[in-house]
Amino acid sequence: EAGVDISFSCVIRSLAGLDSIAQAAGRCNRNGEADLEDVYIIKMAKEVEKLSRLKEIKVGQEETEEILNIISKDEMAFDGDLLSTKAMNYYFEGFFSELKLQLNYNIPSLQEDLFTFIGDNNTLKSAYRNRNGEVLPIFLAESFKTVGKYFEVIDSPTTAVIVPYGEEGKELIADLNGELSIEELSAVLKKSQLFSVNLYQYQLDELAANDLLYPLYNGQMYALDAKAYSEDYGVDIKGEGENTLMAY
């Protein structure tokens, strides 16, 4: 799914949302080198692919599987084309229907859905009426500043992790174990972005519970035990890796 103009004679894609499958399929026979080439969709065993914490991906996968089941029973369904407009419309209607509550962008600290601030905005209208004794002018009813403050295009509930890949990565950890000036720290942190991956909080919690996490730089960062990372496979929550990494 890379945004580059490359073409393969065959594509194998794990079952996912129909839009993701279409994007991957676009890398097969991209420039019409052959009359027709194959795109395969595979479904992982549940014990291999665990999506309980990735609801949007799970829902997309389920909606696509439903369409595949319909086509398997009727080859002419959706105009006989998995990637037809009819199939895409069916997919997105089901996808957004399933996630409609989540897509309201509930903000617990405000006890409101974010869309209410650019919709009815009854909370603001009521507060204005109580304070001023008159109806809020319609052109003032949208709380754009509040929406801008809380809205995130990409929700990323993760913590950046510095991976000591190769000698440079190991040197970063050594530097952060020492005394650094503000200027030196800034340079080290900037360089560390090249060695960063992201971990979810539950992963960090599990690492800590397994004594694979210890503080660095006055507790502002954390290093993982050498067993928590493998240069071949990346982060290893079970502690069977071979190198060391750090999260901050």
Side-chain angles (χ1 to χ4, degrees):
E1 299 178 24
V4 291
D5 187 10
I6 55 178
S7 180
F8 299 96
S9 60
C10 177
V11 167
I12 302 174
R13 179 64 164 90
S14 178
L15 179 63
L18 198 56
D19 52 337
S20 295
I21 290 174
Q23 189 177 31
R27 307 302 172 197
C28 183
N29 198 29
R30 181 177 178 84
N31 302 309
E33 296 91 344
D35 291 334
L36 189 67
E37 297 289 6
D38 294 319
V39 175
Y40 295 94
I41 303 172
I42 61 174
K43 183 179 180 181
M44 298 283 190
K46 290 183 178 180
E47 57 269 21
V48 175
E49 185 178 52
K50 299 178 181 179
L51 300 177
S52 60
R53 298 179 186 271
L54 302 171
K55 186 175 181 180
E56 290 184 14
I57 294 178
K58 185 173 186 293
V59 170
Q61 187 183 80
E62 291 170 347
E63 294 298 325
T64 299
E65 187 170 14
E66 180 179 346
I67 292 174
L68 289 170
N69 289 334
I70 292 173
I71 292 178
S72 70
K73 298 175 183 177
D74 179 5
E75 292 184 358
M76 296 311 298
F78 308 110
D79 294 332
D81 183 357
L82 177 63
L83 302 182
S84 68
T85 299
K86 288 183 179 179
M88 284 294 180
N89 286 339
Y90 187 94
Y91 167 77
F92 280 111
E93 285 175 3
F95 182 81
F96 287 118
S97 176
E98 188 68 26
L99 294 173
K100 60 184 177 182
L101 294 179
Q102 180 178 336
L103 294 176
N104 283 335
Y105 294 100
N106 180 261
I107 309 297
S109 61
L110 300 177
Q111 298 183 334
E112 291 277 4
D113 292 338
L114 204 55
F115 279 132
T116 64
F117 291 93
I118 52 174
D120 294 332
N121 214 349
N122 290 324
T123 300
L124 175 61
K125 291 178 181 178
S126 178
Y128 184 90
R129 185 170 56 251
N130 292 336
R131 186 175 61 185
N132 299 289
E134 59 184 36
V135 177
L136 176 70
I138 189 65
F139 64 88
L140 295 178
E142 313 296 342
S143 300
F144 294 117
K145 184 176 181 179
T146 299
V147 173
K149 178 180 179 181
Y150 288 95
F151 177 73
E152 294 182 353
V153 175
I154 300 176
D155 183 21
S156 182
T158 58
T159 297
V161 174
I162 304 172
V163 180
Y165 184 82
E167 291 304 316
E168 285 188 274
K170 295 173 184 177
E171 289 176 5
L172 284 173
I173 291 179
D175 290 340
L176 288 165
N177 259 320
E179 296 293 330
L180 296 173
S181 66
I182 296 298
E183 292 77 11
E184 290 172 330
L185 176 61
S186 177
V188 170
L189 291 179
K190 183 177 181 179
K191 184 178 180 181
S192 71
Q193 295 176 8
L194 300 174
F195 296 82
S196 295
V197 296
N198 291 296
L199 293 180
Y200 288 96
Q201 186 59 48
Y202 78 90
Q203 294 173 309
L204 293 175
D205 291 341
E206 186 171 345
L207 287 165
N210 293 329
D211 294 325
L212 297 173
L213 186 70
Y214 56 92
L216 269 182
Y217 202 73
N218 299 321
Q220 297 181 51
M221 305 174 185
Y222 294 91
L224 304 185
D225 187 274
K227 295 180 292 184
Y229 184 75
S230 163
E231 287 195 0
D232 293 324
Y233 303 106
V235 179
D236 187 344
I237 302 299
K238 295 182 180 180
E240 298 174 354
E242 57 190 7
N243 294 317
T244 307
L245 56 79
M246 176 174 55
Y248 69 94

